[in-house]
Amino acid sequence: MASSDLSGELSCSICLGIYTKPVMLTCGHNFCEDCIANTWVRPRRSGNYSCPECRAEFETRPVLQKNLKLCNIVEHYRSSQKNTEEPEIFCTYCVSSLLPAVKTCLRCEASFCELHLKNHSKSTTHTLVEPLNTLEERKCPVHNEFIESFCVRDSSLLCTSCTMSWKHKGHETEPLIEASAKAKVRLTEFTKKLSSKTDMEEKSFWGLEEDRNNLQKQVADLKERATNIFGDIRTELNDLENKVLEEITRQETRISDSYSEPIQRLDKQIHEMYKKKRHIEEVCKITDPLMFLKQCAINTDLEQESPFNAEDLNTELINVTLMRALYKLSHIIQEQKEKYDLGDSSDMILNINTANNYIGLSYDLKKATINDKEKSRSGHSDRFTTQQVLSSKRITSGKHYWEIQTSEYGEWSVGVTYNNVKRKGDCSLIGSNPKSWCLTWMDKELTADHDDESYDVDASVLGPDIGIYLDYDGGVISFYELSDSFQHLYTFWTNFTKPLYAGFYLHDKAWIKIAN
């Protein structure tokens, strides 16, 4: 095959140059490793990766495997091209026919073919090196003498006159061969460190890529769930779906953007490391000590990168946003049911058997108020002597969300509790024992209470509506203020071991209402 034809076969279709570290995709097409990696830096709209040649798509980013056979072909091709481009050096003493030189004598400043080299002086003062076109590079530009040693202190190349000058007086010097050998050892060790550092950076790079892919998959799953829920809803309810998707997309954009800078930085560093590594490898191939030392002044410091900690997706906030949307949807459905007299399907109501006698309950058992006069109710073992009431709903698993309307005056507590909490004394109050968790409004201050411990809650705005999110299996109880800002107030993390009930405490003419 002609050289031009071979060049075409060994060209990357992305950069149009000869392959550099060629890798092969499962579809059979080859590309430079850096070219295909840079092509896949930006996430695709579809979430998949594709081959630039045949457009074959891959659900996850393919692992780039080196095409070793193609690598060898490229190396042989580059070597042959390099050999053909290098000018040939001929023997100085050949007259009738020019023969290629095999050695150059630094003392004689002449090149010799095999025949004339046999008659050349065997003295050690005659230094033979690989054939050279010119000897000017081997001479000191100041004294026009051959360079013979290396100054360790100044890292400079010296001739005999240089070693005797005041500039290098008392400095440690080494023969070129010895200095070259030491420098090559240093660069070899640095290459090992560079390779190790590159491997670490590559692992970090692919780890971040995998994390971002998992994030996008998680986001896609959440979007699919939200879309399935709202898929059959009428046009006037699209706003609810959009709010859920906007929250998911907002988190995706914020977290995904945080990956971009470290990924791009690592990609750039890896590219520079490979470039430096290839340069060092080429320099280390130089056998001529002088030419090697001229090329080996390379920065061998490795920067230490701080680990990147990615922010997790706030699935709880997404779940709360979704469940709040479902609450609004159920409210719309409930209005339709009331309009057409289809009945009430809500199951969060107050249990009259637990209500303190000073607590009044509405007819639908959704609202509780504190009264001055005691109600006449039959005795019951579940009834509180403190001003509290529990819900009838028993929660033993799953995720739940409900909203409470509260009064701006008085004192109130809303939360969850086990049913076996005491019915008498201060230890029965919700939040004052290890069996209950609540949010309390008292003296114009908001606190989160559990096991007689209070935690200040910073609420810039406190509206009349409180959202409560309960993940029984996950051990999470969270409270939200439901103004336009939709503010998170407080979260308890625990391990629920018994059935839970919604619990309410009222004092000083306060009231609460279960909104759903």
Side-chain angles (χ1 to χ4, degrees):
M1 182 181 289
S3 178
S4 59
D5 295 337
L6 186 59
S7 174
E9 291 295 326
L10 300 180
S11 296
C12 171
S13 61
I14 297 177
C15 66
L16 305 181
I18 301 300
Y19 288 121
T20 302
K21 293 190 297 181
V23 294
M24 183 172 67
L25 305 184
T26 55
C27 60
H29 291 110
N30 296 285
F31 305 94
C32 299
E33 184 177 0
D34 290 344
C35 291
I36 191 65
N38 291 333
T39 301
W40 287 344
V41 165
R42 297 178 181 176
R44 303 298 180 193
R45 292 181 181 178
S46 63
N48 295 339
Y49 297 89
S50 63
C51 170
E53 190 92 5
C54 66
R55 301 301 177 187
E57 292 193 351
F58 313 97
E59 292 184 0
T60 59
R61 179 166 180 158
V63 177
L64 300 177
Q65 297 290 346
K66 269 190 177 180
N67 190 332
L68 298 179
K69 189 171 184 179
L70 185 56
C71 281
N72 292 333
I73 295 174
V74 170
E75 286 300 320
H76 285 302
Y77 176 76
R78 290 183 184 277
S79 298
S80 64
Q81 290 297 103
K82 183 177 180 181
N83 292 335
T84 57
E85 292 173 0
E86 290 180 354
E88 193 170 6
I89 301 172
F90 297 99
C91 177
T92 306
Y93 296 98
C94 287
V95 179
S96 58
S97 60
L98 297 178
L99 295 178
V102 294
K103 292 292 180 181
T104 295
C105 177
L106 298 183
R107 181 169 182 176
C108 299
E109 299 190 24
S111 297
F112 301 90
C113 63
E114 290 282 1
L115 180 62
H116 289 102
L117 185 62
K118 293 179 180 179
N119 299 324
H120 181 260
S121 173
K122 300 298 187 292
S123 172
T124 57
T125 59
H126 290 257
T127 304
L128 296 175
V129 297
E130 295 300 316
L132 298 172
N133 268 326
T134 175
L135 298 176
E136 293 303 317
E137 292 185 355
R138 308 190 68 88
K139 292 183 178 181
C140 173
V142 179
H143 304 105
N144 199 31
E145 297 177 9
F146 282 108
I147 297 173
E148 297 178 347
S149 58
F150 177 76
C151 178
V152 177
R153 179 174 175 179
D154 297 333
S155 297
S156 57
L157 300 168
L158 309 178
C159 66
T160 303
S161 297
C162 287
T163 58
M164 300 173 63
S165 69
W166 62 271
K167 289 183 178 180
H168 301 281
K169 186 176 181 180
H171 293 186
E172 179 185 357
T173 60
E174 296 175 343
L176 293 181
I177 296 178
E178 182 180 343
S180 174
K182 290 182 179 180
K184 187 168 290 189
V185 170
R186 287 197 303 270
L187 286 182
T188 301
E189 290 299 318
F190 174 70
T191 302
K192 293 179 181 178
K193 293 179 181 179
L194 188 61
S195 297
S196 176
K197 178 70 172 177
T198 303
D199 291 340
M200 292 175 59
E201 297 289 15
E202 282 186 332
K203 288 180 181 178
S204 298
F205 176 84
W206 293 117
L208 290 177
E209 276 287 350
E210 183 178 359
D211 289 345
R212 184 163 68 174
N213 291 338
N214 291 336
L215 167 69
Q216 292 170 348
K217 186 178 183 303
Q218 189 178 14
V219 168
D221 292 343
L222 288 169
K223 285 186 175 182
E224 181 181 4
R225 183 178 67 165
T227 302
N228 290 337
I229 291 173
F230 289 100
D232 298 330
I233 296 178
R234 297 178 182 178
T235 304
E236 60 268 24
L237 299 181
N238 283 342
D239 182 56
L240 296 178
E241 180 181 2
N242 290 336
K243 287 184 178 179
V244 177
L245 297 180
E246 284 171 5
E247 176 56 30
I248 297 173
T249 304
R250 182 184 67 82
Q251 289 196 38
E252 178 196 13
T253 301
R254 186 182 72 253
I255 301 174
S256 183
D257 287 348
S258 69
Y259 282 94
S260 298
E261 189 277 331
I263 286 178
Q264 291 177 3
R265 172 169 47 79
L266 285 174
D267 185 59
K268 182 178 179 181
Q269 289 177 356
I270 291 171
H271 179 77
E272 292 299 325
M273 287 179 181
Y274 272 119
K275 183 177 178 182
K276 181 179 285 189
K277 183 180 177 182
R278 288 195 299 269
H279 176 64
I280 292 175
E281 289 172 349
E282 291 297 323
V283 170
C284 289
K285 291 179 181 179
I286 299 174
T287 58
D288 185 342
L290 174 61
M291 301 307 295
F292 171 78
L293 290 173
K294 284 192 172 186
Q295 299 291 328
C296 74
I298 299 171
N299 183 9
T300 58
D301 293 331
L302 291 176
E303 296 181 0
Q304 297 295 325
E305 296 291 333
S306 58
F308 172 74
N309 297 319
E311 181 182 354
D312 292 331
L313 197 68
N314 189 347
T315 55
E316 178 185 319
L317 182 57
I318 295 172
N319 284 333
V320 171
T321 306
L322 177 59
M323 296 178 80
R324 188 185 181 205
L326 290 176
Y327 155 73
K328 290 188 176 182
L329 173 58
S330 65
H331 188 67
I332 293 173
I333 295 174
Q334 184 63 28
E335 287 180 348
Q336 296 298 315
K337 289 184 177 181
E338 292 176 357
K339 179 180 179 181
Y340 295 99
D341 196 23
L342 297 176
D344 185 3
S345 62
S346 178
D347 59 352
M348 179 65 79
I349 60 174
L350 300 172
N351 185 350
I352 193 172
N353 292 329
T354 64
N356 174 262
N357 286 335
Y358 284 94
I359 290 180
L361 302 179
S362 63
Y363 177 76
D364 61 358
L365 298 179
K366 292 284 190 176
K367 185 175 182 180
T369 58
I370 192 70
N371 298 323
D372 294 334
K373 294 183 180 181
E374 185 176 8
K375 296 284 185 180
S376 177
R377 294 191 179 109
S378 60
H380 198 285
S381 59
D382 287 341
R383 194 173 310 284
F384 284 95
T385 60
T386 50
Q387 297 165 186
Q388 297 188 136
V389 62
L390 303 184
S391 69
S392 296
K393 185 177 179 67
R394 182 174 183 266
I395 301 173
T396 58
S397 64
K399 297 179 177 67
H400 305 268
Y401 175 79
W402 63 95
E403 296 186 359
I404 305 296
Q405 295 177 354
T406 61
S407 60
E408 297 179 3
Y409 48 84
E411 300 173 2
W412 49 258
S413 296
V414 296
V416 295
T417 181
Y418 295 148
N419 191 47
N420 65 348
V421 68
K422 292 185 177 180
R423 271 17 187 201
K424 298 180 181 180
D426 292 341
C427 61
S428 68
L429 294 175
I430 185 172
S432 298
N433 52 72
K435 301 178 181 181
S436 58
W437 301 259
C438 72
L439 195 70
T440 298
W441 176 254
M442 182 181 297
D443 297 330
K444 303 296 182 181
E445 292 183 354
L446 197 63
T447 58
D449 302 322
H450 170 64
D451 199 12
D452 211 22
E453 294 285 340
S454 292
Y455 308 92
D456 293 335
V457 177
D458 182 15
S460 56
V461 177
L462 184 62
D465 297 336
I466 302 294
I468 301 177
Y469 171 79
L470 170 64
D471 181 356
Y472 186 95
D473 302 314
V476 174
I477 176 72
S478 295
F479 300 91
Y480 291 84
E481 192 277 324
L482 303 182
S483 63
D484 292 337
S485 61
F486 193 53
Q487 180 182 3
H488 171 258
L489 297 175
Y490 197 83
T491 294
F492 290 103
W493 290 273
T494 186
N495 181 28
F496 299 120
T497 58
K498 294 180 177 62
L500 288 171
Y501 296 81
F504 309 92
Y505 165 82
L506 301 173
H507 180 67
D508 194 17
K509 298 182 180 181
W511 59 264
I512 61 94
K513 182 180 180 181
I514 301 173
N516 56 329

